[in-house]
C-alpha cells in the first residue's frame, strides 16, 4: 500500500488518476480504516486529504451560504452555532453517525463517497439542495449532491475526481430542515429508514419543499411527489397523510438483515410525517426571531 | 496452554482426547475471562494451536478467533419451538400441564431440551404433568451452552400462556403465580422434592415493590414472569494455605466469571475471623489441583465456596493443635475466634490468644506448613427462583419497544457479595432484553450467517436500558455453610416472557416468535 499526502486537490487528483489498483481517499477514515483492518478493502494507493490547506474549515459565504471543507468532522459541524441554526437537519444527520469518537473523525464527504444507501449525512444534504466542488483531471466542476450516489458503494465521480468542499445554499427566511432515522436500538446502528425534509414557509403555508429518503433504495431518493403533497398546505392532517402515502409509494426497499421491505415502506411514511413536522416547526421558529418554538406543531 | 475458558480441565481432557495426549502432559492455565455465559465450556480451535505448536517444534502458537468467527462458529443456543397445554380453574389453580418442546442444535445431539422441560413448570405445584421433548438434528451450526441452557425458552412458552389465561379469566397474573407457587417439601415438576426454597418470598417481595404502583400511560404495558434454575454442585477440588505472615491463599479451579473470587475470599475470611484483605483467592492451572468441572450451572460460589470453607476448617483445627502444643494443653481445649486460637474456657488455663500471624510465623518450627484441602461433588445444591416485572412502551407507528422500568427479584440464598449478586441480576435482565427484542442469527438462502458483527447482531447498548432495579431475597440454602444458592443463571430465565407479556399488555397483541422486532409488532398491530 502506498500512502500519499498531497498538498493540493489537484495533486490528490493526479495521484488518483494515475493509480491503477484499488484507490481510496482518506478523510476521517472511519470507513476506510475499518475496511482496511477488517481485510475487506486494502487500497494500493491511500491518498490522505488532511494535509491540504483549508480542508478543515467551515466558511460562511457572503450570500449566507456555507462551504464545508472535505475533512471537517461531524463534531465540528455541531460546534458551529451559525451552521446549526441554519441547517440543523444536515448537522443532526452527522450527529447520529456512530458515537462521539466516530463523530470526531467522520466527514460529510466521506459519508457521501462511501456510497452507503443508509448514510445518515446524505439525505439532509440532498434535501438542502447542497452541491459539491469536484476536482478532477479535467479541472473543477460543481455537482449536485443528489447526482453523486450511484448505487451501493458507488458514486458518479469519475476516476481521479475528488470532492474539495461541500456547499450549502443560504438558508434565507422562514426555512427549516430536519433529519431522523429509524433504528431498533437507540444508537450504534445503521438506518433502517432515514428521512430529511427541508421546507420554506410564507406565513403558515409551505411554499417550497424537498424530501429525501435514505435506506429505501439503492441510492438516496429525492421524492418530488412528497414535496408536492405538502407545498401549498399548512401541514394539516390531510397533507401529512398525503406525504406519508407519497413516501411509501416512492420507497423501493429490499428485505435484508436490517429490516423487511414491508416494514421499511411503512416506516418511510411514519418518518416523513414526523420529520416534516419538525422541519415545519423549525421554519416557524426561525420567523419569530430569537425565539425557537418548543415542541412539535401537532 | 493458556486459554480463555470456563473450565481448564475440560480443555485438557478434550485436547488430550483429540490429539491422543496423556492428560498429565498438558497443563492448561485459564486466562482472565471477560464473559463466559456457557460458551466457554468446550473447545473450539484450541487443539489446533497445540497441533501447530507441535509441528513447529514446540514453539509458541497463538490463535485468536475474530468476532465474526466467534459468531459463525462457536454456536448460539439451540433454536426452539414449543407447545404447551395448561389446565387452570377459574380461581387460577393449575390442574394439569403438558409440554412438547422441539429443540435444534445442529448435526449432533445436545440441544438442552431436557433442561428446558425440567425448568418450565418448576415454579408451580401441578398435580398432573406430561413432558415430551425432541432433540432435533439438522444441518445447521452447532449449539453451545448459553446461560441457563433451555430454561428461558421453556419459560417463554409456559409463562406467556399463564399470562394469557390469567388475563382471560380476569385474574392478576402475579396472584396466579402466588396461588400455584411451590414451597419446601413439594415434589418438583421434574421429580425431586424441594428442600427450602424461596419462591413465595420472591413473589411477596414483588408485590411489595413500588414499581408495581407506578401508573402506566397510553401504549405502555406491564409484564410479569417467573423463572427457575437448578444450580449445580459438580466435581470440585480446593486448597488453601496459611502464609508465614498469617495471610491466606486459596486455590480454586473454577474460573471467575462474575465475582466468585471475591465471594469465596469473603467466606474464608469470615470463617477465619480475619480481614477480607488478608485472603487472596487464585484460579489455578490444571497442574495445581485435582479435576474441577468448569464454572457452569451457577456453581462456583456454591461448590468452590463450600469446599473452601471445609478446607479452612481443617487449617483452623491444625492451628488450634499448634496452639495447644505451645500451651501444653489438650487440643480440644482450644477454640478459634477472631483470627486467633483461644483457650476454650477457664479450665483450659490462662493464655494470651495466639493469632494466625503468630502461628504462621512459627509454623516452620512447630510442625511445618499449615493448609487445608477439600474435594467433593458437593450435595446440598439450592435451587433458585426469580420473578421479573417490566414496563414497556410501544410506539404504535414504528413498533419500537422502549423498556421503561425493569425489576428483578430473585432468591440468592445468601448474597455473599451483594453488589456482584446485583450485577448478575442486572446482567441477566440486559441479556434477556436483547434476546427478547432484537438479537437473532439471520441466515441467508445460502445458509450463511448474515450478521456476524455487533453492528447487525443487535445486543442492547447502554442507552437502550433503564437502570435495572433489583431486590435480593435471602432464603438461605441449608445445604451450604453460608446459605449460598448460586445466582448466575436464574436471571436470564424470566425476561423473554416478561417482555412478551408487557408488549401484549401495551398493544393487545400476543407475539409468539422471538425476537419481538418492530416489524413483527407492526405486522401484528396492522394485521
Ligand atoms: C462504529 C461506526 C459507526 C458508524 N455509524 C454510522 C452511522 O450511524 N451512520 C452512517 O451514515 N455511517 C456510520 N458509520 C460510517 C462512517 O463513519 C461514515 O460513513 C463517515 O461519514 C465516513 O466519513 P470518513 O471521513 O470517515 O470517510 P473515510 O473512511 O475517510 O472515507 C470513506 C470513503 O469516501 C471516500 N472519500 C473520502 N473523502 C473523499 C473526498 N473528499 N472525495 C472523494 N471521495 C472521498 C474514500 O475514498 C472512501 O471510499 C460508522 C462507522 C463506524 C466505524
Amino acid at each position: 500500500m502506498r500512502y500519499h499526502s498531497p498538498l493540493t486537490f489537484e495533486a490528490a487528483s493526479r495521484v488518483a488518476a494515475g493509480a491503477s489498483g484499488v484507490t481510496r481517499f482518506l478523510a476521517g477514515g472511519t470507513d476506510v480504516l475499518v475496511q482496511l483492518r477488517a481485510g475487506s478493502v486494502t487500497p494500493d494507493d491511500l491518498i490522505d486529504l488532511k494535509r491540504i490547506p483549508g480542508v478543515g474549515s467551515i466558511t460562511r459565504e457572503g450570500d449566507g451560504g456555507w462551504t464545508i471543507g472535505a475533512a471537517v468532522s461531524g463534531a465540528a459541524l455541531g460546534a458551529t452555532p451559525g451552521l446549526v441554526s441554519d441547517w440543523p437537519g444536515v448537522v443532526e444527520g452527522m450527529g447520529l453517525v456512530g458515537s462521539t469518537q466516530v463523530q470526531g473523525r467522520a466527514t460529510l464527504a466521506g459519508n457521501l463517497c462511501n456510497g452507503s444507501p443508509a448514510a445518515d449525512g446524505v439525505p439532509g444534504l440532498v434535501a438542502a439542495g447542497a452541491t459539491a466542488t469536484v476536482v478532477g483531471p479535467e479541472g473543477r466542476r460543481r455537482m449536485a449532491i443528489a447526482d453523486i450516489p450511484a448505487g451501493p458503494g458507488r458514486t458518479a465521480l469519475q476516476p481521479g475526481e475528488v470532492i474539495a468542499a461541500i456547499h450549502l445554499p443560504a438558508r434565507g427566511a422562514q426555512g427549516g430542515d430536519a433529519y431522523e432515522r429509524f433504528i431498533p436500538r437507540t444508537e450504534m446502528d445503521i438506518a433502517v429508514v432515514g428521512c430529511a425534509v427541508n421546507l420554506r414557509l410564507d406565513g403558515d403555508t409551505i411554499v417550497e419543499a424537498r424530501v429525501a429518503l435514505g435506506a429505501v433504495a439503492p441510492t438516496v431518493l429525492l421524492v418530488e411527489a412528497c414535496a408536492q403533497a405538502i407545498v401549498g398546505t399548512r401541514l394539516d392532517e390531510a397533507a401529512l397523510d398525503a406525504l406519508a402515502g407519497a413516501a411509501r409509494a416512492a420507497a423501493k426497499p429490499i428485505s435484508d438483515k436490517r429490516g423487511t421491505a414491508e416494514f421499511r415502506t411503512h416506516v418511510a411514511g411514519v418518518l416523513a410525517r414526523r420529520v416534516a413536522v419538525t422541519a415545519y416547526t423549525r421554519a416557524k421558529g426561525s420567523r419569530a426571531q430569537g425565539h425557537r418554538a418548543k415542541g412539535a406543531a401537532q | 496452554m493458556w486459554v480463555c475458558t470456563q473450565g481448564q480441565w475440560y480443555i485438557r481432557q478434550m485436547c488430550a482426547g483429540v490429539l491422543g495426549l496423556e492428560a498429565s502432559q498438558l497443563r492448561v492455565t485459564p486466562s482472565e475471562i471477560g464473559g463466559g455465559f456457557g460458551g466457554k465450556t468446550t473447545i473450539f480451535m484450541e487443539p489446533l494451536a497445540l497441533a501447530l505448536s507441535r509441528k513447529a517444534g514446540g514453539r509458541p502458537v497463538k490463535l485468536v478467533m475474530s468476532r465474526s468467527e466467534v459468531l459463525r462458529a462457536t454456536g448460539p443456543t439451540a433454536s426452539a419451538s414449543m407447545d404447551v397445554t395448561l389446565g387452570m380453574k377459574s380461581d387460577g389453580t393449575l390442574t394439569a400441564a403438558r409440554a412438547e418442546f422441539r429443540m435444534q442444535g445442529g448435526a449432533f445431539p445436545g440441544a438442552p431440551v431436557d433442561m428446558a422441560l425440567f425448568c418450565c413448570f418448576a415454579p408451580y405445584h401441578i398435580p398432573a404433568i406430561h413432558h415430551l421433548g425432541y432433540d432435533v438434528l439438522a444441518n445447521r451450526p452447532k449449539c453451545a451452552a448459553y446461560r441457563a441452557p433451555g430454561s428461558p425458552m421453556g419459560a417463554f412458552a409456559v409463562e406467556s400462556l399463564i399470562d394469557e389465561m390469567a388475563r382471560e379469566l380476569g385474574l392478576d397474573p402475579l396472584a396466579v403465580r402466588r396461588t400455584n407457587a411451590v414451597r419446601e417439601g413439594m415434589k418438583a415438576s421434574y421429580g425431586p422434592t424441594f428442600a427450602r426454597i424461596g419462591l413465595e418470598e420472591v413473589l411477596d417481595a414483588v408485590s411489595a415493590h413500588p414499581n408495581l404502583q407506578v401508573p402506566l400511560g397510553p401504549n405502555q404495558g406491564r409484564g410479569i414472569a417467573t423463572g427457575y434454575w437448578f444450580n449445580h454442585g459438580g466435581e470440585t477440588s480446593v486448597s488453601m494455605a496459611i502464609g508465614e505472615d498469617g495471610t491466606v491463599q486459596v486455590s480454586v479451579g473454577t474460573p471467575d466469571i462474575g465475582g466468585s473470587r471475591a465471594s469465596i475470599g469473603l467466606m474464608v475470611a469470615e470463617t477465619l475471623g480475619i480481614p477480607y484483605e488478608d485472603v487472596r483467592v487464585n484460579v489455578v492451572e490444571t497442574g495445581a489441583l485435582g479435576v474441577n468441572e468448569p464454572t457452569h450451572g451457577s456453581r462456583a460460589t456454591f461448590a468452590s465456596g463450600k469446599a473452601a470453607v471445609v478446607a479452612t476448617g481443617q487449617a483452623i483445627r491444625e492451628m488450634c493443635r499448634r496452639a495447644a502444643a505451645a500451651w501444653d494443653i489438650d487440643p480440644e481445649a482450644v477454640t478459634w475466634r477472631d483470627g486467633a486460637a483461644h483457650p476454650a474456657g477457664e479450665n483450659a488455663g490462662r493464655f494470651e490468644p495466639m493469632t494466625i500471624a503468630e502461628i504462621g510465623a512459627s509454623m516452620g518450627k512447630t510442625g511445618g506448613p499449615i493448609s487445608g484441602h477439600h474435594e467433593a461433588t458437593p450435595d446440598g445444591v439450592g435451587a433458585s427462583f426469580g420473578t421479573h416485572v417490566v414496563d414497556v412502551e410501544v410506539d404504535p407507528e414504528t413498533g419500537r419497544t422502549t423498556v421503561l422500568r425493569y425489576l428483578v427479584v430473585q432468591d440468592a440464598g445468601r448474597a455473599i457479595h451483594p453488589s456482584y449478586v446485583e450485577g448478575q441480576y442486572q446482567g441477566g435482565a440486559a441479556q434477556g432484553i436483547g434476546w427478547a427484542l432484537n438479537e437473532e442469527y439471520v441466515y441467508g438462502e445460502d445458509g450463511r450467517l448474515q450478521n456476524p458483527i455487533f453492528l447487525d447482531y443487535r445486543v442492547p447498548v447502554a442507552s437502550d436500558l433503564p437502570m435495572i432495579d433489583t431486590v435480593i431475597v435471602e432464603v438461605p440454602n441449608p445445604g451450604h455453610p453460608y446459605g449460598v444458592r448460586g445466582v448466575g443463571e436464574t436471571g436470564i430465565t424470566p425476561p423473554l416472557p416478561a417482555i412478551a407479556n408487557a408488549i401484549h399488555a401495551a398493544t393487545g397483541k400476543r407475539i409468539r416468535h422471538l425476537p419481538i422486532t418492530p416489524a413483527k409488532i407492526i405486522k401484528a398491530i396492522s394485521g
Side-chain angles (χ1 to χ4, degrees):
Chain A
M1 187 176 70
R2 286 172 297 272
Y3 174 79
H4 311 267
S5 49
L7 297 176
T8 64
F9 282 103
E10 285 71 17
S13 165
R14 271 196 303 277
V15 174
S20 53
V22 177
T23 308
R24 288 290 183 274
F25 294 107
L26 181 63
T30 60
D31 284 313
V32 167
L33 297 182
V34 173
Q35 290 159 8
L36 181 70
R37 286 290 294 270
S40 55
V41 180
T42 308
D44 299 303
D45 290 279
L46 186 61
I47 308 165
D48 191 347
L49 303 175
K50 292 191 291 297
R51 292 275 178 82
I52 301 174
V55 287
S57 13
I58 303 174
T59 317
R60 182 167 220 156
E61 302 297 345
D63 68 349
W66 294 86
T67 294
I68 298 165
V72 170
S73 71
L77 299 178
T80 308
L83 183 65
V84 174
S85 119
D86 276 5
W87 294 104
V90 172
V91 175
E92 73 195 348
M94 285 306 282
L96 291 171
V97 168
S99 57
T100 301
Q101 292 92 327
V102 172
Q103 286 163 25
R105 307 290 297 178
T107 66
L108 274 171
N111 195 237
L112 175 68
C113 295
N114 183 56
S116 164
D120 285 308
V122 177
L125 290 176
V126 169
T131 58
T133 295
V134 176
V135 176
E138 315 288 320
R140 291 190 169 228
R141 61 174 176 144
R142 274 279 184 125
M143 281 178 86
I145 298 292
D147 293 337
I148 293 179
R154 292 189 296 116
T155 67
L157 297 178
Q158 297 302 307
E161 282 191 323
V162 55
I163 292 179
I166 285 174
H167 310 279
L168 285 161
R171 172 67 282 182
Q174 294 191 56
D177 76 332
Y179 174 77
E180 222 180 285
R181 68 176 180 182
F182 179 83
I183 55 171
R185 294 185 287 191
T186 46
E187 57 184 328
M188 296 305 285
D189 219 324
I190 301 286
V192 175
V193 182
C195 178
V197 175
N198 172 33
L199 46 76
R200 184 181 312 287
L201 305 180
D202 181 0
D204 287 344
T205 304
I206 299 171
V207 290
E208 286 170 33
R210 287 169 70 91
V211 178
L213 293 173
V216 293
T219 62
V220 60
L221 299 177
L222 178 64
V223 187
E224 181 54 31
C226 285
Q228 280 169 16
I230 56 174
V231 168
T233 77
R234 299 176 170 209
L235 209 60
D236 50 25
E237 265 310 302
L240 286 168
D241 283 346
L243 169 65
R248 288 183 180 128
K252 298 280 176 290
I254 54 165
S255 289
D256 69 4
K257 61 197 171 189
R258 295 185 183 130
T260 61
E262 193 186 356
F263 179 69
R264 285 189 152 120
T265 304
H266 169 80
V267 172
V270 175
L271 281 193
R273 284 181 74 109
R274 291 183 180 180
V275 177
V277 170
T278 307
Y280 187 84
T281 308
R282 285 175 177 165
K284 288 187 76 161
S286 72
R287 184 180 42 171
Q289 278 180 350
H291 171 79
R292 296 202 72 82
K294 290 188 183 113
Q298 278 167 328
Chain B
M1 187 173 199
W2 283 261
V3 191
C4 183
T5 179
Q6 291 170 250
Q8 55 274 44
W9 280 270
Y10 265 31
I11 297 286
R12 185 180 76 170
Q13 183 187 18
M14 292 181 209
C15 287
V18 168
L19 295 171
L21 302 172
E22 287 173 13
S24 58
Q25 295 304 305
L26 179 60
R27 279 166 63 189
V28 181
T29 303
S31 51
E32 196 64 32
I33 200 164
F37 307 109
K40 294 176 187 166
T41 54
T42 186
I43 51 167
F44 297 107
M45 76 315 191
E46 290 80 357
L48 190 57
L50 282 177
L52 287 169
S53 172
R54 253 194 192 172
K55 280 223 159 179
R59 295 168 68 114
V61 169
K62 177 172 173 174
L63 279 186
V64 178
M65 296 177 91
S66 68
R67 178 68 62 200
S68 292
E69 286 167 340
V70 168
L71 283 161
R72 276 195 289 251
T74 61
T77 186
S79 58
S81 76
M82 292 85 68
D83 287 303
V84 180
T85 312
L86 280 175
M88 189 187 285
K89 292 197 206 164
S90 56
D91 67 354
T93 311
L94 291 168
T95 55
R98 183 175 187 284
E100 183 181 313
F101 290 1
R102 297 155 296 268
M103 288 198 172
Q104 180 281 132
F108 304 99
V113 68
D114 47 354
M115 292 192 276
L117 287 163
F118 291 171
C119 291
C120 71
F121 297 126
Y124 307 113
H125 179 67
I126 308 174
I129 288 178
H130 185 240
H131 290 151
L132 182 58
Y134 294 96
D135 188 345
V136 178
L137 307 188
N139 190 13
R140 295 277 304 272
K142 68 185 278 285
C143 75
Y146 184 61
R147 205 168 188 172
S151 186
M153 297 88 128
F156 176 58
V158 171
E159 295 293 302
S160 297
L161 181 56
I162 290 183
D163 191 74
E164 274 186 78
M165 295 176 87
R167 279 170 203 281
E168 202 171 310
L169 292 171
L171 301 169
D172 170 17
L174 185 60
V176 168
R177 289 176 172 86
R178 190 72 175 73
T179 303
N180 297 287
V182 286
R183 67 178 103 77
E184 183 175 3
M186 285 181 173
K187 197 169 155 72
S189 57
Y190 58 96
T193 298
F194 282 120
R196 184 77 174 92
I197 47 172
L199 177 56
E200 291 181 315
E201 288 81 352
V202 164
L203 294 169
D204 290 345
V206 170
S207 308
H209 197 276
N211 280 16
L212 277 85
Q213 307 312 320
V214 179
L216 296 176
N219 303 314
Q220 298 182 354
R222 178 165 297 150
I224 291 176
T226 290
Y228 174 73
W229 186 245
F230 319 93
N231 296 324
H232 183 51
E235 284 175 277
T236 309
S237 172
V238 169
S239 290
M240 62 83 71
I242 312 296
E244 52 275 38
D245 57 357
T247 61
V248 173
Q249 101 200 18
V250 183
S251 301
V252 299
T254 41
D256 183 351
I257 63 173
S260 55
R261 275 172 300 195
S263 304
I264 293 165
L266 283 164
M267 290 187 276
V268 168
E270 180 91 8
T271 306
L272 285 164
I274 62 175
Y276 168 71
E277 290 72 22
D278 289 355
V279 180
R280 172 93 188 185
V281 181
N282 300 310
V283 177
V284 300
E285 47 106 351
T286 53
L289 282 176
V291 173
N292 276 270
E293 263 176 48
T295 296
H296 62 176
S298 299
R299 77 182 203 91
T301 302
F302 169 77
S304 288
K306 189 170 178 175
V309 170
V310 175
T312 303
Q314 295 167 359
I316 288 173
R317 274 195 298 286
E318 180 58 23
M319 289 190 286
C320 288
R321 264 199 293 277
R322 302 282 169 102
W327 296 333
D328 197 19
I329 63 173
D330 193 282
E332 301 298 306
V334 179
T335 63
W336 186 269
R337 66 171 188 274
D338 302 333
H342 297 256
E346 291 290 314
N347 296 343
R350 288 176 172 278
F351 302 101
E352 282 299 301
M354 194 180 283
T355 64
I356 188 170
E358 289 163 353
I359 297 171
S362 64
M363 67 189 169
K365 298 187 204 90
T366 61
I370 300 174
S371 59
H373 177 83
H374 187 68
E375 53 216 357
T377 48
D379 54 12
V381 174
S384 152
F385 295 86
T387 297
H388 294 193
V389 183
V390 55
D391 293 352
V392 302
E393 179 168 330
V394 178
D395 180 334
E397 291 184 331
T398 65
R400 200 167 171 285
T401 299
T402 303
V403 179
L404 303 171
R405 238 165 263 109
Y406 202 107
L407 170 66
V408 178
V409 182
Q410 187 179 318
D411 176 18
R414 189 68 84 201
I416 302 301
H417 191 300
S419 61
Y420 274 140
V421 170
E422 205 177 19
Q424 289 296 314
Y425 289 9
Q426 292 170 325
Q431 206 169 0
I433 290 168
W435 190 346
L437 294 179
N438 285 310
E439 288 179 44
E440 104 184 273
Y441 279 58
V442 181
Y443 291 99
E445 303 256 298
D446 59 358
R448 283 170 200 270
L449 187 62
Q450 303 275 302
N451 58 337
I453 48 169
F454 276 156
L455 186 57
D456 295 315
Y457 182 87
R458 290 162 166 148
V459 298
V461 298
S463 53
D464 291 339
L465 302 173
M467 185 63 189
I468 312 268
D469 302 316
T470 59
V471 176
I472 301 174
V473 170
E474 293 188 292
V475 176
N477 170 20
H480 186 280
Y482 287 102
V484 169
R485 291 185 187 273
V487 296
E489 286 168 290
T490 303
I492 202 174
T493 58
L496 314 182
I499 289 166
N501 293 344
I503 288 172
H504 185 186
T507 63
K509 299 295 173 187
R510 173 63 56 178
I511 295 171
R512 298 174 202 278
H513 295 268
L514 297 174
I516 307 176
T517 58
K520 284 184 196 156
I521 291 180
I522 286 301
K523 204 165 184 173
I525 290 176
S526 54

